[in-house]
Amino acid sequence: MTRALLRPGRRGKLKGLVFPGGGTMTATHRKRRAERPAGAAETVSPGGAGRASSGLWARKAAARCLLTYPSRAQQANSVGRRRRRRPGLGALAAGVPAMAESVERLQQRVEELERELAQERSRRALGGGDGGGGRARIEKMSPEVVDSNPYSRLMALKRMGIVSDYEKIRTFAVAIVGVGGVGSVTAEMLTRCGIGKVKTSLFVYHLGNPITSGVNQLLLFDYDKVELANMNRLFFQPHQAGLSKVQAAEHTLRNINPDVLFEVHNYNITTVENFEHFMNRISNGGLEEGKPVDLVLSCVDNFEARMTINTACNELGQTWMESGVSENAVSGHIQLIIPGESACFACAPPLVVAANIDEKTLKREGVCAASLPTTMGVVAGILVQNVLKFLLNFGTVSFYLGYNAMQDFFPTMSMKPNPQCDDRNCRKQQEEYKKKVAALPTQEVVQEEEEIIHDDNEWGIELVSEVSEEELKNSSGPIPDLPEGITVAYTVPQKQEDSVREVTVEDSGESLEDLMAKMKNM
């Protein structure tokens, strides 16, 4: 008897028996089973003499292996599964067009969703919906003191006499360059103050594509992305990591105050192609399209960007404010720059700018500047305070205000423009400012003599000067020739030689002894 060769199948079972003659146990077993009389036992056992069986060799093999024989349909399914698990190159090539078609459908769907988003933004900009801020837009600021009025505390400034017309805040356009530690908090404060008023159209960058939407008067410029390393500062949140700063800022600020819409630009202003667009938005992005913005705020962290803003504002004659925080995070400053009237950033440039050093070469590998949310919050606060005073015309506007956190010191000063400034547009603005001042009508100043007023007292004593005008004049010295704007606190009188009157005595001819004798007799 030839021993059957067993072929292993799935899950450790034996699929069938293969014999040297090429037949299979499955086919033979079905033939024998069909020939078996009705009612015959189906038991297989070794040696089963006298029992109905499908053959001795089959009974022995089945008893030895205890096989369950698969049908031909099961075998075909098994082969099909194996073929599906290992597709050939032809099948892969056939699936490429279908995959491309799926990608194309997804891209079309994305474009449809972007168009729907743009339409929704336009609808909200025109007054429909709540603008994403959880409340309806407010067309007019109200001083009514109710919990549902977000402007009641701001309008109280008008009632208390600090600001004559706070509603005017909505008529201004402000551009913020740099939405980092200082710029983001500055944008938030101005948004809460209700800066800007809705107008008709705006060019917004969304997902890299231009979209027409509603317009506001708060313009944001930046090209950086939000990172987890920025979480030590204010405003941004961890879930915004990976988004561009202007997109993240727009989303957050829109929810804070839906009355303000935002024009955002996600690019670097220092490149040639972006510089032209930046100047265009500064000169045409005002309340009415075609008019300049009212103020530009520089909240950048490098000198290259500051010089770019300085160049643009000098050429356009645009008033702007510069701000900055030191690398050790314990000091900062703000500066108001009016082209021609005050010193621009190039009039007294930092050493890095004056020496024409590439500041990128100063950065060391693995070393970053320090930053404190407290210092950045203080600088942003005094910057926005100066902006409000400048726009709403109250208080004293600082041309330069510093902050030293180590001594809680706030130095202030004003700087005149440099006639030899390297920026030719700055020199041009200086000449135009001089002509403007010269054209103003001069007002004669009449000095009135102050009347001496004596305080009444019970003794009737009056205090008057015992020094006459002539004596006061004689006690003063000559005034030296000094440059314009400099005076002396006091003058030193010239020294006068004391004149001694000579006394002459006539010679009597008497000797000294005779004179002494006369004195004794007296």
Side-chain angles (χ1 to χ4, degrees), residues 127-191:
D130 60 0
R135 65 170 174 84
R137 283 209 174 99
I138 297 175
E139 296 297 331
K140 185 179 180 180
M141 290 184 174
S142 171
E144 185 180 6
V145 183
V146 292
D147 294 339
S148 59
N149 182 11
Y151 298 115
S152 59
R153 270 71 171 177
L154 296 169
M155 294 295 288
L157 294 171
K158 182 176 179 180
R159 177 172 54 84
M160 294 181 178
I162 302 298
V163 180
S164 60
D165 185 10
Y166 189 84
E167 295 95 326
K168 194 177 179 182
I169 191 71
R170 281 190 162 186
T171 66
F172 296 112
V174 175
I176 300 177
V177 186
V179 193
V182 175
S184 60
V185 180
T186 298
E188 180 181 353
M189 290 182 177
L190 289 175
T191 299

Side-chain angles (χ1 to χ4, degrees), residues 181-183 185-187 189-190 295 297-299 321-325 330-336 373-391 394 396-405 408-412:
V182 175
V185 180
T186 298
M189 290 182 177
L190 289 175
L295 198 61
L297 305 182
S298 169
C299 302
M321 290 188 186
E322 191 265 334
S323 65
V325 176
V330 292
S331 64
H333 73 279
I334 65 167
Q335 182 178 353
L336 170 63
T374 49
T375 306
M376 292 185 175
V378 170
V379 173
I382 60 177
L383 174 62
V384 175
Q385 195 80 294
N386 221 40
V387 170
L388 295 176
K389 290 190 293 184
F390 178 81
L391 295 178
F394 70 95
T396 301
V397 180
S398 298
F399 276 87
Y400 180 93
L401 179 61
Y403 169 60
N404 187 323
D408 287 337
F409 179 50
F410 290 85
T412 181

Side-chain angles (χ1 to χ4, degrees), residues 484-502:
E484 183 181 356
I486 300 178
T487 59
V488 294
Y490 61 90
T491 58
V492 179
Q494 294 180 348
K495 293 183 178 180
Q496 296 181 356
E497 296 181 359
D498 295 335
S499 56
V500 180
R501 187 172 55 182
E502 294 182 358

Side-chain angles (χ1 to χ4, degrees), residues 265-306:
H265 299 285
N266 185 18
Y267 59 67
N268 185 356
I269 66 170
T270 62
T271 62
V272 176
E273 59 274 13
N274 293 332
F275 179 73
E276 295 296 331
H277 184 269
F278 172 67
M279 287 191 60
N280 177 268
R281 296 315 301 151
I282 295 302
S283 56
N284 296 293
L287 177 63
E288 298 179 9
E289 189 65 27
K291 293 188 177 181
V293 299
D294 297 283
L295 198 61
V296 175
L297 305 182
S298 169
C299 302
V300 296
D301 59 356
N302 60 87
F303 293 127
E304 182 182 12
R306 288 185 176 96

